[in-house]
Amino acid sequence: MPDPSLPQARIPEAAPEHTEAATAHEGISRRRLLGTAGATGLVLGTAGTAAGYAAAPSEAAAPLTSLGTDRAMFHGKHQPGITDGLQARGHLVAFDLAPGAGRKEAAALLRRWSETARRLMAGEPSAHGDTDVARDAGPSSLTVTFGFGHSFFARTGLEKQRPVALDPLPAFSSDRLDPKRSNGDLWVQIGANDALVAFHALRAIQKDAGRAARVRWQMNGFNRSPGATAHPMTARNLMGQIDGTRNPKPDEPDFDRRIFVPENGEPAWMAHGSYAVVRRIRMLLDDWEKLSVKAQEEVIGRRKSDGAALSGGTETTAMDLEKTDAEGNLVVPVNAHARITRPDQNGGAAMLRRPFSFHDGIDADGVPDAGLLFICWQADPLRGFVPVQRKLDRGDALSPFIRHESSGLFAVPGGAAEGEYVGQKLLEG
């Protein structure tokens, strides 16, 4: 599980290539508080640049608060929902193409989905049969992101276009995977800062699928609402740990190289895209909460109160891996989660973690079904997620307190230009 990392911060201005975002920004007063949340290790939050925010179009219903006016842009170099700030509500849903549906039906579906996402992200109603669920809300930072699973390419006769990086993930010792809640031909990530806006988008996407695809699995998550704290700050996860301090940041010189497929990368249709690893990670909270605060801190390698490394300093002070106590013991234990997951301990392997927490009820024995909908982004999962998870398998102190219950890997193409739909270069290339 990757290292808890990411200071909450104001979202930087949109990158120059996001011309739609830059235009929409003029004259608009923008909120820049990130939502907060995450979980430990393979359970983390992230900050990032937003594709841009603006007031809802004049034809949309006027939002009630400034939270509702925040708008992410659909068109751009990258798809939305990757570097945008954390959102308060989220839905993850995977679809399988219906029997007999192939490339033609998939292209028509992605065209419908892209138009619906563009409209809803602008605060407009969907083109057909809108339910009015989000009529009064505004865009509320809605993002909709689309990806393709390994099985999609055989179903559409596009095996030669399937990326090598999309090969199935290896098995890990912490896996207790339910195949019915794993993988899928198509994957959609929905996030918003208003629960009704997020549900409205989920319902519209489901309806748009029509007879072309059917839901394989669907999961719901949440993060702290923007503005819930007095000032932007790093999240706390469901284990109570400050989480997200060391996530890669967009202003780092190698950020794009680690997170996005380059323009001249292979296959060509994945230019400016990324690969998403999606895992439902159950936190065994009853066991975790039996530990003393000191024991919890030793499992993670950071103080619970403020997220600082056990070697001292503040949350952002570099961890001293060699520091010892008076008895000669390492201050940050050798199996501490934060030590194991550091990029400099894994050949530079890094990923951008952007999760949602989940709570799906309490069983008859009073045990909560809660944890993290872990989502991480990288240019190549074989150089990002896989080496870190393999190392965690060999002795992470956090492993006894979590369980990986579902998994998926999806190729997420670059953003759609004006007049295009997501995946068009693959489906019509």
Side-chain angles (χ1 to χ4, degrees):
M1 276 182 147
D3 183 296
S5 331
L6 156 69
Q8 297 286 354
R10 291 190 177 273
I11 303 174
E13 296 295 327
E17 63 268 18
H18 294 291
T19 55
E20 179 186 358
T23 301
H25 165 70
E26 295 176 3
I28 301 298
S29 175
R30 294 161 54 172
R31 286 175 63 96
R32 280 295 174 257
L33 287 180
L34 289 181
T36 54
T40 319
L42 268 188
V43 259
L44 313 223
T46 179
T49 55
Y53 293 89
S58 58
E59 64 268 22
L64 300 178
T65 69
S66 60
L67 186 69
T69 67
D70 286 349
R71 175 183 170 189
M73 294 298 148
F74 175 74
H75 295 297
K77 184 177 180 179
H78 310 297
Q79 285 197 61
I82 301 176
T83 59
D84 301 81
L86 294 180
Q87 295 141 306
R89 296 288 178 174
H91 301 292
L92 307 180
V93 55
F95 292 82
D96 286 334
L97 290 173
R103 181 174 177 177
K104 178 181 177 181
E105 290 76 15
L109 174 58
L110 267 297
R111 189 180 296 110
R112 291 196 299 275
W113 274 353
S114 295
E115 176 60 11
T116 293
R118 183 196 66 78
R119 292 178 64 93
L120 297 187
M121 286 174 57
E124 303 170 12
S126 55
H128 305 288
D130 192 88
T131 61
D132 279 344
V133 169
R135 182 181 182 88
D136 311 307
S140 299
S141 300
L142 174 68
T143 61
V144 186
T145 316
F146 303 105
F148 303 110
H150 186 274
S151 56
F152 176 83
F153 296 84
R155 299 291 302 276
T156 54
L158 291 166
E159 292 97 328
K160 292 182 179 179
Q161 291 296 322
R162 183 166 55 212
V164 174
L166 201 57
D167 286 352
L169 297 173
F172 301 107
S173 63
S174 58
D175 287 352
R176 301 292 184 272
L177 303 182
D178 178 359
K180 294 180 180 178
R181 294 196 295 181
S182 299
N183 303 312
D185 293 341
L186 294 156
W187 174 68
V188 185
Q189 172 192 257
I190 296 168
N193 283 333
D194 180 86
L196 285 179
V197 170
F199 174 82
H200 179 240
L202 174 65
R203 182 67 176 134
I205 290 296
Q206 179 204 356
K207 289 170 64 179
D208 275 353
R211 296 181 179 180
R214 55 193 179 192
V215 173
R216 179 181 178 88
W217 55 259
Q218 192 257 315
M219 302 173 189
N220 309 310
F222 60 90
N223 285 318
R224 177 177 284 164
S225 297
T229 56
H231 55 84
M233 61 180 293
T234 311
R236 284 190 187 274
N237 58 46
L238 298 189
M239 287 178 160
Q241 299 290 146
I242 284 183
D243 184 355
T245 305
R246 285 187 54 85
N247 231 9
K249 299 167 183 64
D251 59 358
E252 295 172 353
D254 61 349
F255 179 84
D256 278 5
R257 178 181 62 80
R258 296 159 107 184
I259 307 305
F260 294 110
V261 176
E263 185 172 7
N264 60 351
E266 292 292 337
W269 65 267
M270 273 296 291
H272 308 302
S274 189
Y275 292 90
V277 174
V278 182
R279 312 272 281 184
R280 185 184 194 272
I281 302 176
R282 176 89 169 263
M283 293 179 177
L284 308 181
L285 295 177
D286 284 350
D287 294 337
W288 174 256
E289 291 163 5
K290 290 175 183 176
L291 298 179
S292 67
V293 171
K294 182 176 184 296
Q296 291 178 353
E297 292 177 337
E298 289 176 346
V299 166
I300 302 302
R302 292 184 176 272
R303 292 200 300 255
K304 193 170 185 179
S305 61
D306 59 6
L310 296 184
S311 54
T314 67
E315 180 186 348
T316 57
T317 300
M319 183 178 290
D320 184 351
L321 299 180
E322 304 303 322
K323 186 173 182 178
T324 57
D325 59 20
E327 298 176 354
N329 299 312
L330 288 170
V331 174
V332 180
V334 69
N335 63 345
H337 183 76
R339 174 191 283 269
I340 291 175
T341 58
R342 288 171 58 92
D344 58 9
Q345 301 295 301
N346 293 280
M351 64 209 80
L352 181 66
R353 296 159 316 270
R354 192 178 184 277
F356 292 97
S357 294
F358 74 86
H359 177 221
D360 289 339
I362 300 172
D363 68 19
D365 295 325
V367 177
D369 182 4
L372 192 85
L373 302 181
F374 169 75
I375 308 161
C376 75
W377 302 90
Q378 59 259 282
D380 183 351
L382 296 179
R383 292 187 287 112
F385 173 81
V386 171
V388 176
Q389 187 60 28
R390 277 178 169 157
K391 190 168 184 180
L392 290 168
D393 258 14
R394 295 196 292 268
D396 177 25
L398 184 61
S399 291
F401 304 99
I402 60 173
R403 185 166 62 226
H404 294 237
E405 296 185 333
S406 69
S407 178
L409 171 62
F410 302 95
V412 176
E418 293 275 1
E420 294 183 350
Y421 63 87
V422 174
Q424 185 168 339
K425 292 182 177 64
L426 168 64
L427 291 163
E428 297 186 15

